[in-house]
Amino acid sequence: GIQVEQSPPDLILQEGANSTLRCNFSDSVNNLQWFHQNPWGQLINLFYIPSGTKQNGRLSATTVATERYSLLYISSSQTTDSGVYFCAVERGGTSYGKLTFGQGTILTVHP
Amino acid sequence: DADVTQTPRNRITKTGKRIMLECSQTKGHDRMYWYRQDPGLGLRLIYYSFDVKDINKGEISDGYSVSRQAQAKFSLSLESAIPNQTALYFCATSGQLGEQFFGPGTRLTVL
């Protein structure tokens, strides 16, 4: 099956710093999503981004499908950004409609 | 009101007991999913359903069964719970684009 690798596994920041999270995948995809899991366990859908660039406030994401990677940018980080960030992809074909998740990046933002 | 709800939110049970986790959605989506998350790991797909008459196994379906009672309802059952089924369980829905939206999760502990 498709492999999804996220880096770094852990990231510690001071409030106000910027960061970039990376997601590499091993095959072509129809669908790529970024999620944030907050400290209470809730999974929040951040971006649906199979290709191109999107921005939502302090967060933006870019997917370069031909090179099989996606980047999530967090600017001016806040303590509420802490949690785990997951990348998930859908391969299509027999995997149509099914997401495969990476292992996540644990982000800790200190005040 | 939340678009995707799960009941119960927390459950402690004993080995051998039958457990049902329920999921309801008001998003009008045809596709519904059940995932489990273990500490330090990403999400793994248990079962999914693309409409009321369609049920499919995911990557870790052994020991689980599901029922799609209506477009809006998808339940997960553990016929005879065992301790290694202790995990956080998530229900999700998606529309035709494949963008997935998650419920708040059910924390299940099997003693």
Coordinates of all heavy atoms in Angstrom, one line a residue, chain A residues 28-75:
Chain A
S28 N 1.1 8.3 -6.5 CA 0.2 9.3 -6.9 C -1.1 9.3 -6.1 O -1.5 8.2 -5.7 CB -0.1 9.3 -8.4 OG -0.7 8.1 -8.7
V29 N -1.7 10.4 -5.8 CA -2.9 10.5 -4.9 C -3.9 11.3 -5.6 O -3.7 12.2 -6.4 CB -2.5 11.0 -3.5 CG1 -1.5 10.1 -2.8 CG2 -2.0 12.5 -3.6
N30 N -5.2 11.0 -5.2 CA -6.4 11.8 -5.7 C -6.7 12.8 -4.6 O -7.4 13.8 -5.0 CB -7.6 10.8 -5.8 CG -7.5 9.9 -7.0 OD1 -6.6 10.2 -7.9 ND2 -8.3 8.9 -7.0
N31 N -6.3 12.6 -3.4 CA -6.8 13.4 -2.3 C -5.7 13.5 -1.3 O -5.1 12.5 -1.0 CB -8.1 12.7 -1.8 CG -8.7 13.3 -0.5 OD1 -8.2 14.2 0.0 ND2 -9.8 12.7 -0.1
L32 N -5.6 14.7 -0.7 CA -4.6 14.8 0.4 C -5.3 15.8 1.4 O -5.8 16.9 1.0 CB -3.3 15.4 0.0 CG -2.2 15.4 1.0 CD1 -0.8 15.1 0.4 CD2 -2.1 16.7 1.8
Q33 N -5.3 15.5 2.6 CA -5.8 16.3 3.7 C -4.8 16.5 4.8 O -4.1 15.6 5.1 CB -7.2 15.7 4.2 CG -8.2 15.7 3.1 CD -9.5 15.1 3.7 OE1 -10.1 14.1 3.3 NE2 -10.1 15.8 4.7
W34 N -4.9 17.6 5.5 CA -4.2 17.9 6.7 C -5.2 18.1 7.8 O -6.2 18.7 7.7 CB -3.4 19.2 6.6 CG -2.1 19.1 5.8 CD1 -1.9 19.4 4.5 CD2 -0.8 18.6 6.3 NE1 -0.6 19.2 4.1 CE2 0.1 18.7 5.2 CE3 -0.4 18.2 7.5 CZ2 1.4 18.3 5.3 CZ3 1.0 17.8 7.7 CH2 1.8 17.9 6.6
F35 N -4.9 17.4 9.0 CA -5.7 17.5 10.1 C -4.9 17.9 11.3 O -3.7 17.6 11.4 CB -6.3 16.1 10.5 CG -7.2 15.5 9.4 CD1 -6.7 14.7 8.4 CD2 -8.6 15.8 9.5 CE1 -7.6 14.2 7.5 CE2 -9.4 15.2 8.5 CZ -8.9 14.4 7.5
H36 N -5.6 18.6 12.3 CA -5.0 18.9 13.6 C -5.8 18.2 14.6 O -7.0 18.3 14.7 CB -5.1 20.4 13.8 CG -4.6 20.9 15.2 ND1 -5.2 21.8 15.9 CD2 -3.6 20.4 15.9 CE1 -4.6 22.0 17.1 NE2 -3.6 21.1 17.1
Q37 N -5.1 17.4 15.5 CA -5.7 16.8 16.6 C -5.3 17.6 17.8 O -4.1 17.6 18.2 CB -5.3 15.3 16.8 CG -6.0 14.6 17.8 CD -5.8 13.1 17.8 OE1 -4.7 12.6 17.5 NE2 -6.8 12.3 18.2
N38 N -6.3 18.2 18.5 CA -6.0 19.0 19.6 C -5.8 18.2 20.9 O -6.0 17.0 20.8 CB -7.1 20.1 19.8 CG -8.5 19.5 20.2 OD1 -8.5 18.4 20.7 ND2 -9.5 20.2 19.9
P39 N -5.3 18.8 21.9 CA -5.0 18.0 23.2 C -6.2 17.3 23.7 O -6.0 16.4 24.5 CB -4.5 19.1 24.1 CG -3.9 20.1 23.2 CD -4.8 20.2 22.0
W40 N -7.4 17.6 23.3 CA -8.6 16.9 23.8 C -9.0 15.7 22.9 O -10.0 15.1 23.1 CB -9.7 17.9 24.0 CG -9.5 18.9 25.0 CD1 -9.7 18.8 26.3 CD2 -8.8 20.1 24.8 NE1 -9.3 19.9 27.0 CE2 -8.7 20.8 26.1 CE3 -8.3 20.8 23.7 CZ2 -8.1 22.0 26.2 CZ3 -7.7 22.0 23.8 CH2 -7.6 22.6 25.1
G41 N -8.2 15.5 21.8 CA -8.4 14.4 20.9 C -9.2 14.7 19.7 O -9.3 13.8 18.8
Q42 N -9.8 15.9 19.6 CA -10.7 16.2 18.5 C -9.8 16.4 17.2 O -8.8 17.1 17.2 CB -11.4 17.5 18.7 CG -12.3 18.0 17.6 CD -13.5 17.2 17.4 OE1 -14.2 16.9 18.4 NE2 -13.8 16.8 16.2
L43 N -10.3 15.8 16.1 CA -9.6 15.9 14.8 C -10.3 17.0 14.0 O -11.5 16.9 13.6 CB -9.7 14.6 14.0 CG -8.6 13.6 14.4 CD1 -9.0 12.2 13.9 CD2 -7.3 13.9 13.8
I44 N -9.5 18.0 13.7 CA -10.1 19.1 12.9 C -9.5 19.1 11.5 O -8.3 19.0 11.3 CB -9.7 20.5 13.6 CG1 -10.1 20.5 15.0 CG2 -10.3 21.6 12.8 CD1 -11.5 20.3 15.3
N45 N -10.4 19.2 10.5 CA -9.9 19.2 9.1 C -9.4 20.6 8.8 O -10.1 21.6 8.9 CB -11.2 18.9 8.3 CG -10.8 18.6 6.9 OD1 -9.9 19.1 6.3 ND2 -11.6 17.7 6.3
L46 N -8.1 20.7 8.4 CA -7.4 21.9 8.1 C -7.5 22.3 6.6 O -7.9 23.4 6.3 CB -6.0 21.9 8.6 CG -5.7 21.8 10.0 CD1 -4.2 21.7 10.3 CD2 -6.3 22.9 10.8
F47 N -7.1 21.3 5.8 CA -7.0 21.6 4.4 C -7.4 20.3 3.6 O -6.9 19.2 4.0 CB -5.6 22.0 3.9 CG -5.2 23.4 4.4 CD1 -4.4 23.5 5.5 CD2 -5.7 24.5 3.8 CE1 -4.0 24.8 5.9 CE2 -5.4 25.8 4.2 CZ -4.5 25.9 5.3
Y48 N -8.1 20.5 2.5 CA -8.3 19.5 1.5 C -7.5 20.0 0.3 O -7.9 21.0 -0.3 CB -9.8 19.3 1.2 CG -10.0 18.5 -0.1 CD1 -9.9 17.1 0.0 CD2 -10.3 19.1 -1.3 CE1 -10.2 16.3 -1.1 CE2 -10.6 18.3 -2.4 CZ -10.5 16.9 -2.3 OH -10.7 16.2 -3.5
I49 N -6.3 19.3 0.0 CA -5.4 20.0 -0.9 C -4.7 18.9 -1.8 O -3.5 18.7 -1.5 CB -4.5 20.9 -0.2 CG1 -3.6 21.7 -1.2 CG2 -3.7 20.2 0.9 CD1 -2.9 22.9 -0.6
P50 N -5.4 18.3 -2.7 CA -4.7 17.3 -3.6 C -3.6 18.0 -4.5 O -2.7 17.3 -4.9 CB -5.8 16.8 -4.5 CG -6.9 17.8 -4.4 CD -6.8 18.4 -3.0
S51 N -3.7 19.3 -4.7 CA -2.6 20.0 -5.4 C -2.7 21.5 -5.2 O -3.8 21.9 -4.7 CB -2.7 19.7 -6.9 OG -3.9 20.2 -7.5
G52 N -1.7 22.2 -5.5 CA -1.7 23.6 -5.4 C -1.5 24.1 -4.0 O -0.9 23.5 -3.1
T53 N -1.9 25.4 -3.7 CA -1.7 26.1 -2.5 C -3.0 26.7 -2.0 O -3.8 27.2 -2.7 CB -0.6 27.2 -2.7 OG1 0.6 26.7 -3.0 CG2 -0.5 28.0 -1.4
K54 N -3.2 26.5 -0.7 CA -4.3 27.2 0.0 C -3.9 27.9 1.3 O -2.9 27.5 1.9 CB -5.4 26.1 0.4 CG -6.1 25.5 -0.8 CD -7.2 24.6 -0.4 CE -8.0 24.0 -1.6 NZ -9.1 23.2 -1.1
Q55 N -4.6 28.9 1.6 CA -4.3 29.6 2.9 C -5.6 29.8 3.7 O -6.6 30.0 3.2 CB -3.7 31.0 2.6 CG -3.3 31.7 3.8 CD -2.1 32.7 3.6 OE1 -1.7 32.9 2.5 NE2 -1.7 33.3 4.7
N56 N -5.4 29.7 5.0 CA -6.5 29.9 5.9 C -5.9 30.6 7.2 O -5.4 29.9 8.1 CB -7.2 28.6 6.3 CG -8.4 28.8 7.2 OD1 -8.7 30.0 7.5 ND2 -9.1 27.8 7.6
G57 N -6.0 31.9 7.2 CA -5.4 32.6 8.3 C -3.9 32.5 8.4 O -3.2 32.7 7.4
R58 N -3.4 32.0 9.6 CA -2.0 31.8 9.8 C -1.5 30.5 9.2 O -0.3 30.3 9.2 CB -1.7 31.9 11.3 CG -2.0 33.2 12.0 CD -1.6 33.1 13.4 NE -2.4 32.1 14.1 CZ -2.0 31.0 14.5 NH1 -0.8 30.6 14.3 NH2 -2.8 30.1 15.2
L59 N -2.4 29.7 8.7 CA -2.0 28.4 8.2 C -2.1 28.4 6.6 O -3.0 29.1 6.1 CB -2.9 27.3 8.7 CG -2.5 26.7 10.0 CD1 -2.5 27.6 11.2 CD2 -3.4 25.5 10.3
S60 N -1.1 27.8 6.0 CA -1.2 27.6 4.6 C -0.6 26.2 4.2 O 0.1 25.6 5.0 CB -0.5 28.7 3.8 OG 0.9 28.6 4.0
A61 N -1.0 25.7 3.1 CA -0.5 24.4 2.7 C -0.3 24.4 1.2 O -1.0 25.1 0.4 CB -1.6 23.3 3.0
T62 N 0.7 23.6 0.8 CA 1.1 23.4 -0.6 C 1.3 22.0 -0.9 O 2.0 21.3 -0.1 CB 2.4 24.2 -0.9 OG1 2.2 25.6 -0.8 CG2 2.8 23.9 -2.3
T63 N 0.7 21.5 -1.9 CA 0.9 20.1 -2.4 C 1.5 20.1 -3.8 O 0.9 20.8 -4.7 CB -0.3 19.3 -2.4 OG1 -0.8 19.2 -1.0 CG2 -0.1 17.9 -2.9
V64 N 2.7 19.5 -3.9 CA 3.3 19.3 -5.2 C 3.1 17.8 -5.6 O 3.9 17.0 -5.3 CB 4.8 19.7 -5.2 CG1 5.3 19.6 -6.7 CG2 4.9 21.1 -4.7
A65 N 2.0 17.5 -6.3 CA 1.6 16.2 -6.5 C 2.6 15.4 -7.4 O 2.9 14.2 -7.1 CB 0.2 16.1 -7.2
T66 N 3.2 16.1 -8.3 CA 4.2 15.4 -9.2 C 5.4 15.0 -8.5 O 6.1 14.1 -8.9 CB 4.6 16.4 -10.4 OG1 5.0 17.6 -9.8 CG2 3.4 16.6 -11.3
E67 N 5.8 15.7 -7.4 CA 6.9 15.3 -6.6 C 6.6 14.6 -5.3 O 7.4 14.3 -4.5 CB 7.8 16.6 -6.3 CG 8.3 17.2 -7.6 CD 9.3 18.4 -7.3 OE1 9.8 18.5 -6.2 OE2 9.4 19.2 -8.2
R68 N 5.3 14.4 -5.1 CA 4.8 13.5 -4.0 C 5.1 14.1 -2.6 O 5.6 13.3 -1.8 CB 5.3 12.1 -4.2 CG 4.7 11.5 -5.5 CD 5.2 10.1 -5.7 NE 4.8 9.6 -7.0 CZ 5.1 8.4 -7.5 NH1 6.0 7.6 -6.8 NH2 4.7 8.0 -8.7
Y69 N 4.8 15.3 -2.4 CA 5.0 15.9 -1.1 C 4.0 17.0 -0.9 O 3.5 17.6 -1.8 CB 6.4 16.3 -0.8 CG 6.8 17.6 -1.5 CD1 6.6 18.8 -0.9 CD2 7.5 17.6 -2.7 CE1 7.0 20.0 -1.5 CE2 7.9 18.7 -3.4 CZ 7.7 19.9 -2.8 OH 8.1 21.1 -3.4
S70 N 3.8 17.3 0.4 CA 2.9 18.4 0.8 C 3.6 19.1 2.0 O 4.2 18.4 2.8 CB 1.5 17.9 1.1 OG 0.7 19.0 1.4
L71 N 3.4 20.4 2.1 CA 3.9 21.2 3.2 C 2.8 21.9 3.9 O 1.9 22.5 3.2 CB 5.0 22.2 2.7 CG 6.2 21.6 1.9 CD1 7.1 22.7 1.4 CD2 7.0 20.7 2.8
L72 N 2.9 22.0 5.2 CA 2.0 22.8 6.0 C 2.8 23.8 6.7 O 3.7 23.5 7.4 CB 1.2 21.9 7.0 CG 0.3 22.6 8.0 CD1 -0.9 23.2 7.2 CD2 -0.2 21.7 9.1
Y73 N 2.4 25.1 6.5 CA 3.1 26.2 7.1 C 2.3 26.8 8.2 O 1.1 27.1 8.0 CB 3.4 27.3 6.1 CG 4.1 26.9 4.8 CD1 3.4 26.6 3.7 CD2 5.5 26.9 4.8 CE1 4.1 26.2 2.5 CE2 6.2 26.6 3.6 CZ 5.5 26.2 2.5 OH 6.1 25.9 1.4
I74 N 2.9 27.0 9.4 CA 2.2 27.7 10.5 C 3.0 28.9 10.8 O 4.2 28.9 11.1 CB 2.2 26.8 11.7 CG1 1.5 25.5 11.4 CG2 1.4 27.5 12.8 CD1 1.5 24.5 12.5
S75 N 2.4 30.1 10.7 CA 3.1 31.3 10.9 C 2.6 31.9 12.3 O 1.5 31.6 12.7 CB 2.9 32.3 9.8 OG 1.5 32.7 9.8

